[in-house]
Structures are given as C-alpha cells and as structure tokens.
Amino acid sequence: FKFDYFGEPAYLTQSSQLYLKTALPALGDVYCIAESYRAENSRTRRHLSEYTHIEGGCPFIKFADLLDRLEDLVSDVVERVMSGPYARLVSELNPDFVAPKKPFRRMDYADGIKWLREHNVTKDDGTFYEFGEDIPEAPERKMTDAINEPILFCRFPAEIKSFYMPRCPEDRRLTESV
C-alpha cells in the first residue's frame, strides 16, 4: 500500500520471514538476503530505516542448536574477513580488534535484568528495569561493554516478543529468542 515515507511516496512490502517459515519443512535450511525499509523514523544504531539483512531458518533443531549455529556463523564470518583483503581495513578502523572466542557467553534476559540491578544501571527516572520491560540500547550497551565478550542474550518474555516466537518448554512465560 502507498504511504508517505519521509516526504516521498513509497509502497510497503513484507519481509520474507513468514514465507520462509512455510518453506522450511520441504526445503530444510532456508535464507533470504533482501533490502528492508522501516516505516518509522528510527534513531538508533540498531534500527536503521533502510538496510540489507539476512533472514534464515533452520527446521527441526533445538534452541541450543540454533545458538551454536549463530556462534559458528559469527566466528566464521570474522575468520573469513580477517583472512581476506578487508583485514587491513578492519585493523585500520579498529586497531584493538580481537576475534571473538568460542564459546560465547549465553545470558538469559532474567539474568540481564539482575545484572543491570547489581551494577546500578537504571532508567532515566532512576528506577531499575523490571522483568517484562524491554531493555533499551544504552543499558544493554553498558552491560556488554562491561562484560567485554560476545553475549547471546536469550529467552525474552513472550509479552515483548513477536507472536511467532516459540515458548520455552521449561517456562511458558519466555520465548526461545536471542
């Protein structure tokens, strides 16, 4: 449908995510690399208005297997970049860059809320983040900068995640999300 996109006429499409889910049982692992456009004026590094992204799906695997695959994917991409022609550019832009080591830390959302409280990271009004609230970029960045290693941040409350995220079998309030 047509709408105003920052003063220009535009037409929205939907991502391939739900289409890929229908292809999973017949095709196995699937992915799509596509251009994406958000309809809102985003103001964070994590929510660009226009970007290229990869959507992927892996059927018939457990959540722990998904985390392993994500860890392997990140490690493989870093290894390929650092052994290729762009390694010099990475070193110039970030001379202190160190490739992440496996295994990555895995932290549940509930433990993240606890970490923020223990390290006195509060909201703008001085109150602590509570279970069930989304954690914005700034406090999450404080946590990851302090921990200083890759973190797979997992198992967010169902109320703040998309409807299609599977529930954790051990606690139905949570999703198998990362």
Side-chain angles (χ1 to χ4, degrees):
F1 63 91
K2 183 178 178 179
F3 77 107
D4 181 271
Y5 185 68
F6 307 115
E8 298 285 330
Y11 300 87
L12 285 183
T13 63
Q14 59 195 62
S15 81
S16 63
Q17 193 168 23
L18 295 178
Y19 295 106
L20 290 175
K21 289 192 180 305
T22 64
L24 282 170
L27 300 177
D29 290 356
V30 294
Y31 70 93
C32 177
I33 300 173
E35 300 298 316
S36 289
Y37 307 91
R38 292 185 182 268
E40 69 270 8
N41 191 356
S42 305
R43 301 195 188 287
T44 72
R45 292 185 280 188
R46 296 189 313 181
H47 297 98
L48 300 174
S49 293
E50 300 179 19
Y51 58 98
T52 301
H53 74 277
I54 300 173
E55 292 178 315
C58 306
F60 315 117
I61 63 172
K62 303 252 186 263
F63 185 58
D65 298 328
L66 172 65
L67 298 179
D68 289 341
R69 285 192 182 195
L70 291 172
E71 183 178 277
D72 290 343
L73 176 67
V74 169
S75 297
D76 183 61
V77 168
V78 169
E79 182 180 316
R80 288 172 188 254
V81 169
M82 296 311 291
S83 63
Y86 295 106
R88 193 181 105 245
L89 179 60
V90 172
S91 297
E92 286 175 14
L93 294 173
N94 186 352
D96 299 326
F97 176 77
V98 176
K101 303 283 187 255
K102 293 192 300 187
F104 295 177
R105 180 184 293 222
R106 295 175 186 193
M107 179 185 284
D108 287 348
Y109 165 89
D111 293 327
I113 293 288
K114 182 179 174 186
W115 190 98
L116 293 173
R117 184 176 293 269
E118 288 172 352
H119 292 84
N120 205 33
V121 177
T122 62
K123 295 184 261 186
D124 290 339
D125 65 4
T127 61
F128 288 106
Y129 291 93
E130 300 293 334
F131 186 91
E133 294 180 317
D134 198 12
I135 301 172
E137 179 184 10
E140 185 178 300
R141 186 156 305 281
K142 284 181 184 176
M143 180 174 63
T144 56
D145 286 351
I147 293 171
N148 197 29
E149 64 182 282
I151 302 169
L152 294 174
F153 204 29
C154 307
R155 296 180 183 82
F156 290 81
E159 292 77 32
I160 62 173
K161 295 313 268 180
S162 298
F163 70 92
Y164 51 78
M165 298 223 169
R167 301 288 177 109
C168 293
E170 67 277 5
D171 186 344
R172 305 286 298 160
R173 299 174 307 144
L174 306 176
T175 58
E176 290 184 330
S177 56
V178 58

